[in-house]
């Protein structure tokens, strides 16, 4: 019974769930279509529909209704009055009675219109009448009245702009006709009346030329105001009209042409015809009543304006606020010629790009090169600059009497045309035509037919540059008058929401760099000449060391290589000196006497760095090749101790033979030599990290900014000036040199003296191992390290070795030197040609098989031949050192002072070789150790070239360290192969 009852309940629940699921699916269907709606605009609705703002769509108006002027509601059709209205389509209209043909101005009542209807079905009156629909107490009249305004002498009244009131008519009407009418032959223009007997300006041409687009527009603003402004300015000296006329000339880019009827032509016409009025403030170019637009109307005056007079005030990098700031002041006007106000430029008045107040105001800190650029939407420009503002710019200063004065700042408009030529776009200052007034955005003159609509074209000041020039040889921060350079961009308005324009604002500082350039050229010429002489001396020394007296192509090539390295040093000295000079004298000065070169003036400096790097890289590669091809041999002085029994192959007998000498001492010296091949006087990794630490962490990189601050830190809100490439190189090079010098001093004075001197230790090790090193860096020149043990042998046990060291410490044995009773172990050697030929004959046999054969698969003949050649070379060199070969003997002597200075030998080894005492251990010249200067300069130049290309000290540091490691690896690998090849030491034993 219970089971039967449960089944219907289960069935009902199942059905309910299915219905709920179906409802949910039906509700989800609209969501699946997405949240979209059709796009409709008020203009799409037509006359019989309105745009409903709550739905963002068009809806139909009711009966006898049409769209209102705003498009967002409905109004009654002509001949119908409103009965009720709640907005939108909630309007009820009722047809007016047949005897009342019109509707009142508010649309609520029907009324009789005696003088006709407008297109909207409302009453109208004549031009000199006003419409009256209600009595004084507000009662609606049955019939509208058209009342004529009294234009007689007692009242001089006329309808106002709305046609609802009688007001006093414009004064020019009264002056000309003694009434409110301007009848023929008088002239009515721009709402003003001019007498036929007065001399009017020529008929105005109300056009604006947009040269970048090739468009000439008939401007609605010019059509309305140009003729009247010119006439009122000329005839009545109306100050506002004169300012408005000047503004229209500025909107036409101050361009002057053969036509004298455009805005600038009319301005020039009035300027000439008002000469009798005199000038303002004794300025020849500023006519009484007129705005000051030009510094004369002929090109060629720019140099006098910009350079004839100095600005009366002085500036400094450290002083009072007025000394370190440019106090610009602008007089601003609206398009109609009304004076607005005096205003300072701080706060971003001329900067179209938005930014913080601190960064915007940094543009006027004296000595700070300022750059700002951004892309601005056209819709934003139209919204914020609907009405143009015109500026007359001045620079404020205090006179000797304590009075505040203003110095007019000239403007160089790059869009100005003089006789159809862009005279201001050239570099010749004498062709420039300077002006005064400017604007930022003109969205007014580009309106063609209706001033209430969007303009067809707008003109934007896309690039504004304020240039400050320092007077030459000044010591007190005296400058020439600043120059504002403006480039305008014409934009054809199509879709303001999607259109944008790039704008920039900058302040640059410059001075005449010709004297510095001349001094640099003189220095380069003198040092370059000395480099030629020095390279010739090096070439002569190289010729003597190679034993070749014939001048051939190889000699010329070698001279060019020497000259490349010396000329690289010349460029390096000049660039480092220049960079440090500007760094010290620009950043440390209080009263300004020097300014940094402009980026365009830094090109020669960058070229010098590039030349220095290229030439130094060539010298470095030549150095690398020469070190990888030196001839080297380890002379083993050890002699066999006793004899051993040895089986003779093939004969089956045992014979006694000399005990073999251990090769491990030679392997040991070879490994030590291999280790010191790339040893340097500085730690490259520490050098790179230290330079990067001081630049990026401590903040020395901030000294490379083109501003007057010498602080190492900058606040997060502070403006960051652009980098100066000269200062950037100067800071980096100075840090590299300073840190390297500290490392070298530490290495030479402390580390090598008290901790470890690997070069001296290598010489000592050679002596303890009873092995000498014979080096030839040239054909007939090289180095000799005398490692012959004073104890006779070095293959001994620990006890005897310690005993030998003790005897040597107590001076119980002879000295280590090559000559008796001397300590000289290192020599520069200049060998005779005969000695070299004999060396080459043995060496040729030695080099037939480069290095020893494989221990397991080599042929016995090759191995024996190599061993025999090695023993022959060892025997020959040891006998040569022992003066055995009288025909190839040598003498030991000291080098002359001049020989040491010039790095060459005056005596030629004709019969005997020459051994020069070398206390400076100059055999390190075939190692990295002896060429630290070349390596350091190459690293500095590599770092600087990468930084100048990338503007990143971090990237430059990383790449510099990588190139150091790459070349060190190449030097180690190839140097090890050369060592194994020349000394017969198996490369597998070189660790």
């Amino acid at each position: 019974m219970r089971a039967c009852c449960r089944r219907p309940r289960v069935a009902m629940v199942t059905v309910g769930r299915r219905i709920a699921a179906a409802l949910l699916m039906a509700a989800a269907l609209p969501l699946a279509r997405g949240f979209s709606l059709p796009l409709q605009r008020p203009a799409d609705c037509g006359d019989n529909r309105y745009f409903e703002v709550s739905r963002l769509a068009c809806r139909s108006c009711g009966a006898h209704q049409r769209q209102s002027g705003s498009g967002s509601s409905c109004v009654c059709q002509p001949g119908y009055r409103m009965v009720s209205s709640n907005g939108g389509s909630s309007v009820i209209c009722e047809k007016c009675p047949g005897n009342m043909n019109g509707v009142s101005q508010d649309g609520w009542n029907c009324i009789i219109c005696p003088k006709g209807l407008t297109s909207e079905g409302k009453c109208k009156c004549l031009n000199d009448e006003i419409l009256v629909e209600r009595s004084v107490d507000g009662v609606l009249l049955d019939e509208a009245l058209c009342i004529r305004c009294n234009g007689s002498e007692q009242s001089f009244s006329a309808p106002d702009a709305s046609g609802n009131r009688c007001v006093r008519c414009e004064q020019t009407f009264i002056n000309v006709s003694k009434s409110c009418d301007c009848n023929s032959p008088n002239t009515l223009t721009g709402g003003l009346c001019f007498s036929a007997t007065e001399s009017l300006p020529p008929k105005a041409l109300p056009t604006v030329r947009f040269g970048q687009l090739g468009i000439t527009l008939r401007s609605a603003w010019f059509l309305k105001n140009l003729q009247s402004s010119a006439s009122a300015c000329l005839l009545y000296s109306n100050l506002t009209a004169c300012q408005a006329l000047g503004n229209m000339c500025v909107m036409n880019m101050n361009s002057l042409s053969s036509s004298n009827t455009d805005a600038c032509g009319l301005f020039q016409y009035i300027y000439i015809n008002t000469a009798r009025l005199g000038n303002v403030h004794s300025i020849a170019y500023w006519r009484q009543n007129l705005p000051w637009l030009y510094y004369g109307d002929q090109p060629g005056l720019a140099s006098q304006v910009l350079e004839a007079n100095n600005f009366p005030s002085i500036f400094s990098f450290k002083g009072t606020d007025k000394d370190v700031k440019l106090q610009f002041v602008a007089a601003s006007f609206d398009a109609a010629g009304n004076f607005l106000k005096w205003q300072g430029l701080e706060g971003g008045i001329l900067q179209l790009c938005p930014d913080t107040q601190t960064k915007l105001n940094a543009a006027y800190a004296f000595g700070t090169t300022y750059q700002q650029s951004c892309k601005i939407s056209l819709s934003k420009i139209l919204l914020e600059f609907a009405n143009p503002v015109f500026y007359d710019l001045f620079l404020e200063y205090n006179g000797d009497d304590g009075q505040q004065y203003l110095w007019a700042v000239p403007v160089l408009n790059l869009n100005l045309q003089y006789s159809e030529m862009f005279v201001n776009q050239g570099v010749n200052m004498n062709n420039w035509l300077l002006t005064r007034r400017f604007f930022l955005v003109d969205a007014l003159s580009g309106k063609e037919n209706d001033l209430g609509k969007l303009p067809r074209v707008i003109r934007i000041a896309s690039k504004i540059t304020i240039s400050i020039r320092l007077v030459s040889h000044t010591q007190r921060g005296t400058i020439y008058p600043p120059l504002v350079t403006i480039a305008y961009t014409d934009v054809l308005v199509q879709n303001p929401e999607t259109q944008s324009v790039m704008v920039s604002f900058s302040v640059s500082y410059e001075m005449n760099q010709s004297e510095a350039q001349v001094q640099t050229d003189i220095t380069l010429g003198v040092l370059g000449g000395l480099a030629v002489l020095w390279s010739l001396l090096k070439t002569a020394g190289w010729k003597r060391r190679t034993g070749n007296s014939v001048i051939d192509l190889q000699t010329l090539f070698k001279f060019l290589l020497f000259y490349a390295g010396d000329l690289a040093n010349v460029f390096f000295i000049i660039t480092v000196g220049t960079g440090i000079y500007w760094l010290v004298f620009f950043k440390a000065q209080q009263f300004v006497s020097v300014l940094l070169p402009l980026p365009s003036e830094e090109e020669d400096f960058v070229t010098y760095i590039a030349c220095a790097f290229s030439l130094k890289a060539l010298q470095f590669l030549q150095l690398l090749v020469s070190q990888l091809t030196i001839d080297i041999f380890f002379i083993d002085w050890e002699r066999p101790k006793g004899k051993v029994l040895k089986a003779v192959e093939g004969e089956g007998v045992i014979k006694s033979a000399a005990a073999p000498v251990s090769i491990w001492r030679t392997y040991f010296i070879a490994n030590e030599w291999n280790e010191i091949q790339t040893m340097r006087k500085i730690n490259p990794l520490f050098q790179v990290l230290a330079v990067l630490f001081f630049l990026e962490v401590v903040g020395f990189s901030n000294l490379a900014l083109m501003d007057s601050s010498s602080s190492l830190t900058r606040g997060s809100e502070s403006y960051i000036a652009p980098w100066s490439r000269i200062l950037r190189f100067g800071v980096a090079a100075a840090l590299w040199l300073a840190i390297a010098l500290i490392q070298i001093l530490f290495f030479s004075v402390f580390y090598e003296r008290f901790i470890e001197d690997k070069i001296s230790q290598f010489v000592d090790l050679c002596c303890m191992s009873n092995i000498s090193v014979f080096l030839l860096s040239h054909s007939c020149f090289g180095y000799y390290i005398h490692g012959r043990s004073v104890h006779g042998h070095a293959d001994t046990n620990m006890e005897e070795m310690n005993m030998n060291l003790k005897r040597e410490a107590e001076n119980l044995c002879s000295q280590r030197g090559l000559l008796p009773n001397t300590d000289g172990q290192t020599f520069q050697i200049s060998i005779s040609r005969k000695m070299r030929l004999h060396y080459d004959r043995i060496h040729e046999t030695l080099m037939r098989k480069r290095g020893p054969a494989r221990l397991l698969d080599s042929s016995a003949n090759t191995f024996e031949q190599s061993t025999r050649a090695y023993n022959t070379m060892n025997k020959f060199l040891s006998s040569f050192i022992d003066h055995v070969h009288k025909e190839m003997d040598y003498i030991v002597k000291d080098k002359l002072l001049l020989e040491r200075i010039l790095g060459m030998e005056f005596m030629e080894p004709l019969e005997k070789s020459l051994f020069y005492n070398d206390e400076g251990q100059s055999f390190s010249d075939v190692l990295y150790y002896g060429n630290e200067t070349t390596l350091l300069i190459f690293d500095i130049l590599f770092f600087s070239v990468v930084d100048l290309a990338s503007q990143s000290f971090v990237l430059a540091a990383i790449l510099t360290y990588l190139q150091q490691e790459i070349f060190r690896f190449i030097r180690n690998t190839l140097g090890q192969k050369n060592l194994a090849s020349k000394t017969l030491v198996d490369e597998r034993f070189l660790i």
Side-chain angles (χ1 to χ4, degrees), residues 447-654:
K447 297 181 178 181
E448 282 189 291
N449 302 315
D450 190 348
L451 293 176
K453 294 184 177 180
L454 286 177
R456 182 182 173 190
V457 180
I458 65 172
R459 183 170 271 153
I460 303 168
S462 56
K463 185 176 182 181
I464 301 177
T465 301
I466 301 178
S467 303
I468 312 296
R469 296 184 64 228
L470 191 69
V471 175
S472 300
H473 306 294
T474 181
Q475 300 296 325
R476 303 287 294 175
T478 306
I479 64 172
Y480 291 114
L483 174 67
V484 179
T485 303
I486 303 179
Y488 289 94
T489 297
D490 301 333
V491 180
L492 186 64
V493 180
Q494 295 174 328
N495 188 350
E497 298 297 332
T498 60
Q499 288 180 274
S500 60
V501 62
M502 181 65 75
V503 297
S504 67
F505 178 87
S506 61
V507 181
S508 64
Y509 294 82
E510 57 186 292
M511 62 177 291
N512 188 349
Q513 301 289 346
S514 59
E515 184 176 346
Q517 185 62 46
V518 169
Q519 293 175 351
T520 302
D521 293 341
I522 292 174
T523 305
L524 181 60
V526 172
L527 294 181
L530 293 176
V532 173
L533 296 178
W534 188 245
S535 300
L536 288 173
L537 287 173
K538 284 184 177 180
T539 307
W542 173 82
K543 289 292 291 181
R544 177 151 295 181
R545 290 179 175 184
T546 57
N548 183 12
S549 59
V550 179
I551 299 178
D552 50 11
L553 288 177
Q554 185 184 11
T555 305
L556 179 60
F557 180 70
K558 199 66 180 179
F559 165 75
L560 293 178
L561 287 177
F562 284 135
Y563 186 57
D566 294 333
L567 191 59
N569 293 335
V570 169
F571 280 122
F572 179 75
I573 292 171
I574 290 176
T575 51
V576 170
T578 302
I580 295 177
Y581 167 83
W582 287 112
L583 179 65
V584 173
F585 284 90
F586 177 73
K587 289 290 185 176
Q589 61 186 341
Q590 177 177 356
F591 293 103
V592 183
S593 59
V594 294
L595 290 175
L596 291 172
L598 295 174
S600 60
E601 296 173 328
E602 293 178 332
E603 298 302 326
D604 288 344
F605 180 82
V606 175
T607 303
Y608 290 165
I609 294 177
C611 291
F613 172 71
S614 302
L615 296 173
K616 185 56 69 173
L618 189 62
Q619 182 192 19
F620 173 69
L621 293 176
Q622 185 267 338
L623 172 68
L624 206 61
V625 171
S626 65
Q627 290 190 0
L628 294 174
T629 56
I630 62 169
D631 291 318
I632 182 171
F633 192 84
F634 299 124
I635 305 171
D636 191 351
W637 295 100
E638 197 75 14
R639 295 295 175 259
K641 294 190 295 184
K643 294 185 178 183
V644 295
L645 297 177
K646 182 178 181 182
V648 180
E649 293 184 13
E651 298 181 5
V653 297
I654 298 176

Side-chain angles (χ1 to χ4, degrees), residues 688 692 695-696 728 943 946-947 950-960:
V688 170
L692 194 60
L695 285 173
E696 296 294 346
R728 201 172 176 91
F943 179 90
V946 175
D947 172 64
S950 64
Q951 297 288 288
S952 171
F953 286 127
V954 176
L955 179 62
I958 294 173
L959 293 183
T960 301

Side-chain angles (χ1 to χ4, degrees), residues 221 243-245 247-248 251 333-338 387-390 444:
W221 178 260
Q243 296 293 332
L245 175 62
N247 292 342
M248 283 183 272
M251 285 190 276
F333 300 82
D334 64 11
N338 298 301
N387 299 308
V389 178
F390 298 83
L444 181 62

